[in-house]
Amino acid sequence: MNSQLKEVVDKVAAEYSISNEFLIKATDKFEESMDQGLKSSPAREYMPMIPTFVTDIPTGKERGLFLAGDLGGTNFRVCSIYLNGDHSFDLKQSKFKIPLDLMTNSTAEDLFSYLATKVDAFLDEHHKEFRAEGSEILKLGFTFSFPVNQTALNKGTLIRWTKGFDLPDCVDKDVVELLQTHLDNLKANVKVAALANDTVGTLLSRAYSNNSSQSKTNTIVGAIFGTGTNGAYFETFDKIPKLDSSKFKDKTGMVINTEWGSFDNTLEILPSTRYDKIIDAQTSNPGYHLFEKRISGMFLGELLRVTLIDLFEQNHIFVELFKSRGGTLPHRLAEPWLLDAEVLSYLQIDDSTDLKMSELILQNHLRLPTTKEERLVIQTLTKAIAHRAAYLSAVPLAAIARRVAEQYKDDENDFEFGLDGSVIEFYPGFKDSVLEAINIINPLKGSNKKIHLSIAKDGSGVGAALCASTAL
Ligand code: BGC
């Protein structure tokens, strides 16, 4: 890279850097924000910290056949899960890609009717035994991975959409009722017994599978780092002032869905580059989920794209290309949201001579011809963006570990975090960087406990079944 360009790129990369001091400060701030959210009614300034009405962490002894419907970012998964009661389960599943026009240009009725049809078709294919007249009603756990105002295990109204969904008429409606109505229209013989966020599902399924006496770990967090990001953990009632806990007599606390995507929506401490601002303005929920917009898979590619466009507009890259195309850039680079995080994951690890592998990838995925120098710029920025995302991801995990240490003070076991999502699972080096940052924060200083990050693949379906198993 010529020295002038290098200077420019290093400066931009530095805007994405996260210092050790910041990690410590942000962890303190995160814990403070948890407390604010646990005492306040929902508002943009606070993390939602949603009580989930799940009061027990599974022991692994739960049994029976349950259905799960999982609406996450881009897919709807339908599963049946047989819990064997010995930490194991048998699972059948089908996965459907949500048509784009049901995510934005449509109505709640259309979306939920589509979901119900898929559940019904799944039963036809896998569980004919429940179709006969008079057969037992199957309980379904509905994993719905968006912020909801939950008022019972099987009741919750949508607060707002995230991750590219935008069906305004669905906001404030009870999503359990919507799904139930459409299942009943189809006479599907299914009762939506529980509503669970994917992080709650991940926490419960990981806890079910984890045989603590053998693994010597307790599962304390379920978290997603995928299209979106979020986490759930168990909180004691004395720390949830906004919940009337008198109804839960023999219980000690409840799982909280933090919705940490909305940590520091007021940007008191989060790093905020001009690129972050551009992206936020392009989303359907500007001003919300600003932490998520710096971390999760849906935004990593877009961050790289807007950063590259900025360098192009300052005449540092793609100048010749622009001329040779008669004054345009390839549309996959020019248009928002078309650069997938998966592409970044290939660019990140390219160590081929002259970054030849990146050349092919950029050509194939973006129809973007590049010079060696441009590829070096792209790789430097990719690494900077991913590094910031991974370091920021450590903050909520460390804060929760520190916070729940008190609950486990008489227990020798280590802490395990159950993590799911494409970014943590597939992005090269992401998980290691998260752990590195957790170690810098060192939230369990002074104790012998260690923190383990475990991939809890596809846990949310099993978790939803576990939620349904606790329903009356
Ligand atoms: C949603 C959460 C969800 C997370 C991970 C976020 O955008 O608000 O409810 O858990 O994505 O899927």
Side-chain angles (χ1 to χ4, degrees), residues 170-184:
C170 195
V171 172
D172 291 335
K173 288 202 182 129
D174 184 340
V175 293
V176 171
E177 211 174 285
L178 279 169
L179 184 58
Q180 188 69 62
T181 305
H182 287 281
L183 286 167
D184 292 348

Side-chain angles (χ1 to χ4, degrees), residues 145-147 162-163 197-199 224 228-230 257 259 289 292:
S145 311
F146 303 91
T162 58
K163 297 178 287 196
N197 186 263
D198 50 358
T199 58
I224 306 284
T229 182
N230 187 15
N257 164 17
E259 287 294 339
H289 263 37
E292 171 164 287

Side-chain angles (χ1 to χ4, degrees), residues 161-321:
W161 289 109
T162 58
K163 297 178 287 196
F165 274 78
D166 189 18
L167 307 172
D169 72 322
C170 195
V171 172
D172 291 335
K173 288 202 182 129
D174 184 340
V175 293
V176 171
E177 211 174 285
L178 279 169
L179 184 58
Q180 188 69 62
T181 305
H182 287 281
L183 286 167
D184 292 348
N185 289 347
L186 297 170
K187 303 202 176 8
N189 206 26
V190 170
K191 177 168 165 46
V192 187
L195 174 66
N197 186 263
D198 50 358
T199 58
V200 177
T202 302
L203 172 64
L204 298 196
S205 76
R206 198 52 222 171
Y208 173 85
S209 305
N210 179 11
N211 188 346
S212 290
S213 58
Q214 277 171 18
S215 67
K216 302 282 178 235
T217 66
N218 294 317
T219 311
I220 62 155
V221 170
I224 306 284
F225 297 97
T227 311
T229 182
N230 187 15
Y233 74 106
F234 187 85
E235 185 59 278
T236 49
F237 285 133
D238 55 319
K239 300 222 170 90
I240 323 176
K242 70 179 175 186
L243 180 76
D244 172 12
S245 57
S246 60
K247 292 187 218 110
F248 307 98
K249 283 267 160 1
D250 310 321
K251 308 292 178 186
T252 57
M254 190 177 274
V255 173
I256 298 290
N257 164 17
T258 65
E259 287 294 339
W260 69 40
S262 265
F263 168 50
D264 197 24
N265 278 341
T266 48
L267 293 181
E268 278 173 48
I269 59 160
L270 279 182
S272 196
T273 67
R274 53 192 181 281
Y275 312 118
D276 294 307
K277 291 188 189 121
I278 297 174
I279 290 194
D280 184 37
Q282 280 171 192
T283 58
S284 63
N285 57 347
Y288 287 93
H289 263 37
L290 297 186
F291 187 59
E292 171 164 287
K293 288 173 189 167
R294 284 151 176 77
I295 290 183
S296 73
M298 177 161 174
F299 303 96
L300 297 179
E302 187 57 10
L303 276 169
L304 177 62
R305 193 192 70 82
V306 296
T307 311
L308 294 176
I309 293 290
D310 181 45
L311 291 182
F312 159 71
E313 284 170 350
Q314 295 178 43
N315 284 327
H316 293 302
I317 50 175
F318 308 141
V319 178
E320 290 309 314
L321 174 73

